[in-house]
Amino acid sequence: MTEAPGKGGHHAAHTWHEARERAFEVATPIPPGPVQLSAAVGRTLASDAVAVQDMPHYASSAMDGWAVNGSGPWILSEPGQRLAPHQASPIVTGGLIPPGAKAVLRSESGTITTDDDGLPVLALGGAAKPGEPRNGQHIRRAAEEAAEGEVLLKAGTVLNPAHIALAALAGLDHLDVLGKPLVRFLLTGAEVVAQGVPLPGQVRDTFGPQLGAVVELLGGIAGEQLRVGDSYGEWITALQDTEPTGDEPNVEMEPPADVVITTGGTGRSGTDHFRKSVAELGGRLLIDGIAMRPGHPAVLAELPDGRFVLGLPGNPLAAMMALFTVGAPLLAALGHASLEDVREVPCGAMIDADPGRTRLMPFKLVYGLASPTQHAGPGMMRGLAHADGVMVVPPHGAQMGELVPAFALPWGKPLPVPKSAEDKPRKTPARQTKKAPAGPVDWSALDA
């Protein structure tokens, strides 16, 4: 296990930009694999999907009516039997065309009458059109949509419901898709209540109702949520066994998790067990704190079984900023996506310097300027709930109108391109030239 550097205290090993890149670089894309059709919407096809048989694989009727051979009137035959010339048999839409049939006469175009001997026969009715039925009319030919072995969906297709229906018509039960990380959640805190108005000393659970949805927006698959208390034993047990037990009847077990996200426990108090638990399990720390606020106690670790464990701070806004900073690039890398470029927005306020610390500030766009929202403390969510994006304010602060790095919210609209950059698109460098001061960063004043 890699310990945080420093003695008699600790400091952030990474700037915001470095932590983001580190989270992306440590992960290897999950290999492609088959998934059931019901779970394939939104996934990216890894290999071509081909028809395993002709589509349709038999000739069928496109109408309710009669399958007929030759011209009328037609002698009626039992359904499914071979038709001789001038014979007909009843058929429904989608019904198998019997041997010998040359066309289908629509029900509204025929009428049952009798011949000279009083025997029932099928004749053309008053609604029949001239020349009806033509040879092959109202018959869906075999292989009309696709022949066996024909490519139906090409690799790289992002699957939508229509694609899934096509795959089902082709007789496929699974599709090979690019890997996507399965994320399970370890929600901690004995003081957390899941519903109702919390009493003094209690807090409402802000993670359970929404964290899975955010993970889905970031490219992951939201899995099981497990709630535990604050004891070290509970932490160890939960991290050792985050897989569903499978004891419930008729419940299909999920595959092993690729990422475990924990909430709380990343600080340095006696009830914070993240680092100790990871060490006990033989894991290693990849990111141990970030020189940013809020969200500085974020921790990323890797366990010997290959699972990544992302420790989010307990305060809701701090946790979201840590998730955007570390979780988003981690999930992107595991899911075969690229690291999104950081955009820029013109700052709508003068922001003082905060040496050594990047500040993540939710903002509203007001007349084209990014104005920091109110109610943006580490434990608040009101500011983020009404924000258009998040500014990444460098340690030296920002002047009014200055372009500052920013990113859009996973559930929001893309950030607009600043007018000064419209004519010449620029890509934000992967690493900023301005870095935090060298040497230890004092975290004692940080409150998130």
Side-chain angles (χ1 to χ4, degrees):
M1 173 177 168
T2 303
E3 297 292 346
K7 296 181 179 180
H10 65 287
H11 70 273
H14 300 280
T15 67
W16 182 83
H17 294 280
E18 290 169 346
R20 189 168 174 269
E21 290 177 354
R22 173 75 168 154
F24 184 80
E25 292 167 354
V26 297
T28 301
I30 298 170
V35 298
Q36 293 182 347
L37 297 187
S38 59
V41 172
R43 303 293 294 269
T44 300
L45 199 60
S47 57
D48 293 345
V50 301
V52 297
Q53 62 181 0
D54 291 344
M55 296 175 58
H57 58 285
Y58 63 91
S60 64
S61 175
M63 294 286 179
D64 291 339
W66 296 268
V68 300
N69 184 347
S71 58
W74 298 272
I75 300 172
L76 293 177
S77 175
E78 291 296 322
Q81 294 184 355
R82 173 176 287 277
L83 300 181
H86 310 295
Q87 281 189 326
S89 62
I91 197 168
V92 296
T93 301
L96 179 66
I97 298 295
K102 305 300 183 182
V104 170
L105 179 68
R106 299 178 301 160
S107 57
E108 57 266 37
S109 298
T111 184
I112 301 296
T113 184
T114 57
D115 61 10
D116 294 340
D117 298 324
L119 298 176
V121 294
L122 172 66
L124 292 176
K129 297 178 180 180
E132 190 175 0
R134 299 185 305 275
N135 192 36
Q137 189 172 16
H138 303 314
I139 291 179
R140 295 170 179 164
R141 301 183 305 276
E144 188 175 58
E145 187 169 5
E148 179 182 348
E150 186 175 342
V151 175
L152 302 175
L153 299 169
K154 292 186 177 181
T157 300
V158 178
L159 298 167
N160 62 35
H163 296 142
I164 303 306
L166 175 60
L169 282 174
L172 301 173
D173 296 319
H174 298 82
L175 290 170
D176 285 325
V177 297
L178 296 183
K180 197 173 186 179
L182 174 62
V183 181
R184 292 206 176 91
F185 305 91
L186 180 56
L187 310 180
T188 68
E191 77 285 3
V192 177
V193 294
Q195 60 186 8
V197 179
L199 299 173
Q202 296 179 332
V203 295
R204 269 296 295 267
D205 173 25
T206 60
F207 298 118
Q210 55 86 22
L211 202 52
V214 179
V215 163
E216 296 269 356
L217 291 172
L218 294 176
I221 302 172
E224 183 190 41
Q225 291 187 2
L226 178 65
R227 298 180 184 277
V228 300
D230 292 322
S231 72
Y232 176 64
E234 289 174 291
W235 268 83
I236 283 290
T237 301
L239 285 177
Q240 281 178 325
D241 184 20
T242 59
E243 314 303 331
T245 63
D247 293 336
E248 297 182 30
N250 302 321
V251 175
E252 184 177 351
M253 290 182 62
E254 290 181 346
D258 301 294
V259 179
V260 177
I261 292 181
T262 68
T263 60
T266 61
R268 302 282 176 169
S269 73
T271 58
D272 294 328
H273 306 300
F274 185 99
R275 295 168 183 82
K276 185 178 179 182
S277 299
V278 169
E280 177 74 17
L281 297 175
R284 63 190 184 109
L285 297 186
L286 303 171
I287 296 174
D288 188 8
I290 308 168
M292 72 178 193
R293 59 186 304 182
H296 74 88
V299 186
L300 178 63
E302 184 178 16
L303 298 180
D305 60 11
R307 283 180 296 159
F308 290 98
V309 186
L310 172 57
L312 303 180
N315 281 321
L317 182 61
M320 295 301 286
M321 296 301 105
L323 181 61
F324 297 155
T325 300
V326 180
L330 177 69
L331 297 177
L334 291 170
H336 300 258
S338 58
L339 181 62
E340 289 193 10
D341 294 329
V342 179
R343 301 289 293 272
E344 288 183 331
V345 293
C347 188
M350 179 178 291
I351 302 175
D352 293 335
D354 191 1
R357 302 180 181 93
T358 295
R359 278 165 294 172
L360 302 185
M361 305 180 71
F363 68 84
K364 285 284 292 182
L365 285 171
V366 181
Y367 300 113
L369 296 176
S371 298
T373 62
Q374 298 180 353
H375 310 292
M380 301 178 181
M381 287 299 291
R382 187 174 174 182
L384 185 64
H386 298 286
D388 295 315
V390 177
M391 281 192 293
V392 184
V393 181
H396 59 75
Q399 300 296 314
M400 182 77 171
E402 178 184 350
L403 291 177
V404 296
F407 58 87
L409 297 171
W411 53 83
K413 298 178 181 179
L415 297 181
V417 178
K419 291 184 177 180
S420 60
E422 285 178 349
D423 297 330
K424 184 180 180 181
R426 71 186 290 272
K427 188 175 180 179
T428 303
R431 295 181 184 272
Q432 301 294 309
T433 56
K434 183 177 286 293
K435 296 181 178 294
V441 177
D442 181 12
W443 280 18
S444 60
L446 292 180
D447 57 357

